Amino acid sequence: MMRTTALASDAPPPPSPLVPDRNRVGQVDSPSMRSAGRDALSLALMDARNHTLRLFGQYQLALEGVDFVVPQLSVLNPPVWELGHIAWFQEWWIGRNLQRALGATSDPAHARLASIEPAADRWWDSTNVPHQQRWSLNLPTVSACRAYLLDTLEGTLELLEKAGDDDAALYFYRLCLFHEDMHAEALTYTAQTLGLALDKPLLQAFTPAAMTLREPVLVPATVWHLGSAAQGQGAGFAFDNEQGAHEVRVPEFEIDAQPVSWAQFVEFVDDGGYDRPELWQAGGRDWLQQIVRTEGRRGPRYVEQIGVASGAVMQTRFGTPRRMLGNQPAMHMSWWEADAWCRWAGRRLPAEVEWEVAAHTAARRGFYWGDVWEWTGSTFRAFPGFVPGPYAEYSAPWFGTHKVLRGGSLATRGRMKHPKYRNFYLPERDDIFCGFRSCAL
């Protein structure tokens, strides 16, 4: 098979995807990739793979000597499992999928071709391999996983050359691109959880800049089309939980121009916010008691020091304590902490429709987003007429239990930062790169 890209295990490290050619970035790392054609998708798929391998290279430096053994935690996967799963997912939905040209209308239960790796389904099928079992699997070596990554990508690119130009024909290529981007971000927040050191360019890329603090924005009442058009309507790719576009009447509202800053959050801490039960919902009080008991902290995750008296916030970033600036976005907050801060401030979390309206209409008036995922006040639910996509386990199992986050973080690829994208996590998650903003009551 002719090699189409230098990603073999014995190849030199790929160039950093964080400082690529500006023209290339504009083409492959923008939200317009949802409607990208074959040529741009081919470049983006290679770009995503380079980014995955660049990140995994940090794990090799830190963990190769201990055979990549990491603690069994509910918020992460074993790094080598992540690597193989990315390749497996792409092969499952493209290389082995005889109905790939049908896009979202394909039958996910149809018989598939065999994998080029005989044990792939037993190792990396996330639907049928329970999370807790992923630490006990007899996984192949890193070099074997990298070879599997290369072979599946080459097969994908060859099939893409012959694919049609319509949304259905390109659906699974776009899905696999965004799936790999999600796992690249997961590798990043896992590195933060494990305290792994990153090289200087990556560390700089994943450090929020100071924000220009602006007054809240008043958004006029409107009727908004919440959600994305259904597949097959010429609108490009949309995740299943976005579909079911419907009109929502949105009253006038005031929303912060930027996420809550560290300086703002410090005031809450200094005013005893973590010790005032009236600011916390019942679930939040339970969560707070648990982290005090198990982690001994009364503050955001990874924060070693916080308070007006000290004049500083010290937060561990990829294994190294760093002083946070007062006008950087406060980060690693659970939904419970975000809600408690809003109650303390006499404000509230925005509904997801309010966040979406502001992102689309208030950018020229200072509405700034994209450095941290932002908790909303909305519970993750299906939009009217919801129909699960072929990857049925993506959304439906989590309706009603998770909270919606909007925006994106510094670890999120630019093509994932779409103002209609709905991220979703349990309210106690604070390991991801998340913050929040508020609305007036």
Side-chain angles (χ1 to χ4, degrees):
M1 182 182 296
M2 182 180 68
R3 296 294 185 191
T4 57
T5 179
L7 295 175
S9 59
D10 56 352
S16 168
L18 301 169
V19 286
D21 178 78
R22 290 184 179 273
N23 293 328
R24 194 165 181 263
V25 167
Q27 184 178 26
V28 305
D29 200 23
S30 75
S32 64
M33 286 304 301
R34 287 187 172 213
S35 299
R38 290 176 299 181
D39 291 345
L41 273 172
S42 179
L43 289 172
L45 286 161
M46 288 188 283
D47 171 70
R49 187 57 46 81
N50 281 338
H51 187 53
T52 297
L53 293 177
R54 171 72 190 281
L55 291 171
F56 193 79
Q58 308 297 297
Y59 283 81
Q60 288 186 278
L61 291 172
L63 298 177
E64 197 162 30
V66 295
D67 200 24
F68 298 93
V69 173
V70 298
Q72 185 170 337
L73 302 175
S74 62
V75 297
L76 56 85
N77 284 305
V80 178
W81 187 92
E82 286 269 8
L83 205 62
H85 171 73
I86 291 168
W88 174 87
F89 189 93
Q90 193 171 107
E91 187 190 28
W92 177 263
W93 290 113
I94 297 175
R96 300 170 61 186
N97 184 0
L98 296 173
Q99 296 188 8
R100 58 183 171 270
L102 299 180
T105 63
S106 67
D107 176 10
H110 80 278
R112 278 174 161 74
L113 298 174
S115 171
I116 59 175
E117 169 50 69
D121 294 345
R122 179 167 56 85
W123 289 328
W124 293 307
D125 182 351
S126 55
T127 301
N128 295 310
V129 180
H131 183 264
Q132 65 272 16
Q133 290 184 12
R134 297 170 191 174
W135 275 261
S136 58
L137 295 169
N138 185 23
L139 295 173
T141 63
V142 169
S143 60
C145 288
R146 288 173 65 101
Y148 183 44
L149 280 165
L150 174 61
D151 290 340
T152 51
L153 178 60
E154 288 185 331
T156 292
L157 297 178
E158 289 177 0
L159 292 170
L160 179 57
E161 288 181 0
K162 305 168 188 175
D165 296 317
D166 60 314
D167 285 342
L170 298 177
Y171 173 85
F172 286 111
Y173 298 93
R174 295 166 179 165
L175 174 66
C176 289
L177 170 65
F178 297 135
H179 174 265
E180 183 156 356
D181 286 339
M182 291 178 199
H183 278 273
E185 182 159 2
L187 284 169
T188 307
Y189 67 66
T190 295
Q192 167 71 354
T193 299
L194 297 174
L196 301 188
L198 300 182
D199 63 31
K200 187 174 181 180
L202 284 171
L203 185 60
Q204 290 177 337
F206 299 148
T207 300
M211 302 180 293
T212 300
L213 304 182
R214 295 184 170 89
E215 292 298 314
V217 176
L218 187 65
V219 180
T222 187
V223 176
W224 188 254
H225 281 83
L226 182 64
S228 301
Q231 296 295 140
Q233 298 181 10
F237 181 87
F239 291 94
D240 61 4
N241 63 65
E242 298 171 13
Q243 296 173 43
H246 57 291
E247 287 189 351
V248 178
R249 293 189 177 276
V250 184
E252 179 184 80
F253 64 97
E254 178 196 283
I255 188 168
D256 292 338
Q258 61 281 316
V260 167
S261 68
W262 276 119
Q264 291 172 298
F265 198 83
V266 164
E267 293 180 15
F268 164 77
V269 176
D270 196 60
D271 197 34
Y274 281 90
D275 299 302
R276 294 170 57 180
E278 73 274 12
L279 299 177
W280 298 79
Q281 296 187 38
R285 290 194 294 271
D286 292 342
W287 172 82
L288 185 56
Q289 290 174 2
Q290 180 181 3
I291 67 164
V292 170
R293 183 176 63 255
T294 60
E295 302 177 34
R297 64 180 171 95
R298 302 184 79 85
R301 182 173 288 278
Y302 310 121
V303 168
E304 306 298 329
Q305 178 182 324
I306 184 169
V308 171
S310 67
V313 174
M314 296 296 294
Q315 187 173 50
T316 299
R317 303 282 297 146
F318 300 101
T320 301
R322 296 183 180 276
R323 181 167 180 162
M324 300 292 104
L325 302 177
N327 55 352
Q328 284 178 308
M331 187 163 56
H332 294 301
M333 315 292 175
S334 69
W335 188 91
W336 301 118
E337 289 166 293
D339 180 70
W341 184 95
C342 288
R343 290 167 184 263
W344 168 82
R347 295 175 71 80
R348 62 177 175 83
L349 290 171
E352 67 168 313
V353 66
E354 292 173 323
W355 192 98
E356 185 174 310
V357 170
H360 278 89
T361 66
R364 293 184 179 180
R365 291 188 288 141
F367 187 87
Y368 174 80
W369 60 278
D371 283 352
V372 290
W373 286 106
E374 299 180 31
W375 291 110
T376 72
S378 300
T379 298
F380 185 50
R381 302 188 190 282
F383 287 163
F386 171 80
V387 176
Y391 180 26
E393 298 80 14
Y394 176 63
S395 300
W398 320 117
F399 289 143
T401 58
H402 289 46
K403 295 293 185 180
V404 175
L405 302 95
R406 290 299 193 105
S409 78
L410 286 170
T412 309
R413 299 309 302 272
R415 52 185 167 254
M416 288 291 294
K417 294 183 180 181
H418 195 285
K420 287 189 174 291
Y421 179 67
R422 307 174 76 200
N423 204 353
F424 48 95
Y425 280 98
L426 288 168
E428 61 264 29
R429 290 292 293 268
D430 54 10
D431 56 305
I432 58 175
F433 302 108
C434 52
F436 64 98
R437 74 179 73 213
S438 69
C439 283
L441 293 174

